[in-house]
């Protein structure tokens, strides 16, 4: 697929076009945080970004296309992983980053809107999956390094450990069942680290447990 044939929202240009993309994606994020996916309108995004409507329609084509590009930008712009020298320390850093993102007034509402949209829109769901795949892959090496240090068993599924850190934090975000605070952050990191050290994320161990 050539650049001219590329799906809307997938081209990575430079110069003025890059500035237009940044303005449009910022406007789209603001609109999503304020009104949710159902009320996201390309014409309104163009107005907020102070660009022509035809530019937005030509470049992104649809609301899901725009949201997909927004998620790509968010994944690429996320902070890199932190190396502390221990698995618990690294998972604490991961949990801290997730919690601070989800409790940010703008980012928290933005993620809630995108998560809601992903339940009813296949393209948004696919884009969200890619976003988390990028972020999980960024942090997975801390588990591999922990295995080399003997903190977790060989064969520990690094991606599952990272998902285990963020899952309870997202649960709190979506259900408001409990505060999304520093105590929740610490609990999520400790629970994932303890389970990993006990071998809960070794695939062979899971299979053996299920057949016992």
């Amino acid at each position: 697929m050539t650049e001219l044939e590329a799906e809307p929202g997938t081209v990575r240009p430079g110069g003025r076009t890059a500035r237009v993309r940044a303005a449009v994606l910022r406007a789209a994020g603001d609109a999503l945080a304020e009104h949710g996916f159902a009320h996201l309108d390309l014409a309104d995004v163009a107005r907020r970004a102070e660009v022509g409507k035809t530019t937005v329609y030509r470049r992104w084509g649809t609301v899901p296309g725009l949201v997909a590009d927004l998620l790509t930008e968010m994944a690429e712009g996320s902070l890199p992983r932190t190396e502390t020298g221990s698995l618990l320390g690294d998972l604490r850093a991961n949990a801290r980053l997730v919690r601070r993102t989800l409790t940010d007034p703008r980012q928290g509402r933005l993620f809630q809107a995108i998560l809601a949209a992903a339940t009813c829109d296949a393209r948004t769901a696919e884009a969200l999956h890619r976003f988390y795949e990028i972020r999980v892959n960024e942090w997975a090496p801390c588990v591999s390094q922990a295995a080399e240090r003997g903190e977790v068993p060989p064969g520990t599924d690094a991606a599952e450990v990272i998902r285990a850190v963020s899952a309870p934090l997202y649960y709190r975000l979506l259900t408001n069942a409990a505060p999304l605070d520093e105590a929740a952050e610490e609990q999520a990191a400790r629970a994932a680290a303890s389970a990993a050290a006990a071998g809960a994320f070794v695939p062979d161990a899971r299979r053996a447990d299920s057949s016992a």
Side-chain angles (χ1 to χ4, degrees), residues 36-70:
F37 182 84
H39 299 288
L40 187 63
D41 178 73
L42 295 186
D44 177 55
V45 170
R47 179 187 60 78
R48 289 169 179 258
E50 300 182 343
V51 302
K53 289 189 293 186
T54 55
T55 297
V56 176
Y57 281 99
R58 183 175 62 249
R59 171 71 191 277
W60 288 276
T62 64
V63 166
L66 180 58
V67 173
D69 198 23
L70 175 62

Side-chain angles (χ1 to χ4, degrees), residues 94 98 102 160-174 188:
N94 178 259
V98 172
L102 298 183
E160 286 300 311
V161 175
I162 301 304
R163 294 187 187 105
V165 175
S166 59
L169 302 178
Y170 274 91
Y171 177 81
R172 289 175 183 245
L173 171 74
L174 294 174

Side-chain angles (χ1 to χ4, degrees), residues 25 28-38 40 67-79 94 96-120 124-125 127-136 166 169-175 180:
L25 295 183
D30 290 343
L32 265 175
E34 291 173 21
H35 304 300
F37 182 84
L40 187 63
V67 173
D69 198 23
L70 175 62
L71 281 166
T72 297
E73 186 213 34
M74 290 166 61
E76 293 173 349
S78 295
L79 293 174
N94 178 259
R96 185 177 307 113
L97 176 61
V98 172
R99 182 186 66 82
R100 288 180 175 175
T101 298
L102 298 183
T103 56
D104 178 84
R106 179 180 183 272
Q107 291 294 91
R109 292 195 302 270
L110 178 56
F111 271 104
Q112 285 179 313
I114 291 174
L115 289 167
T119 64
C120 58
T124 303
L128 186 63
H129 173 76
R130 288 197 302 269
F131 170 85
Y132 285 116
E133 186 174 37
I134 291 171
R135 297 309 299 152
V136 168
S166 59
L169 302 178
Y170 274 91
Y171 177 81
R172 289 175 183 245
L173 171 74
L174 294 174
T175 65
L180 185 50

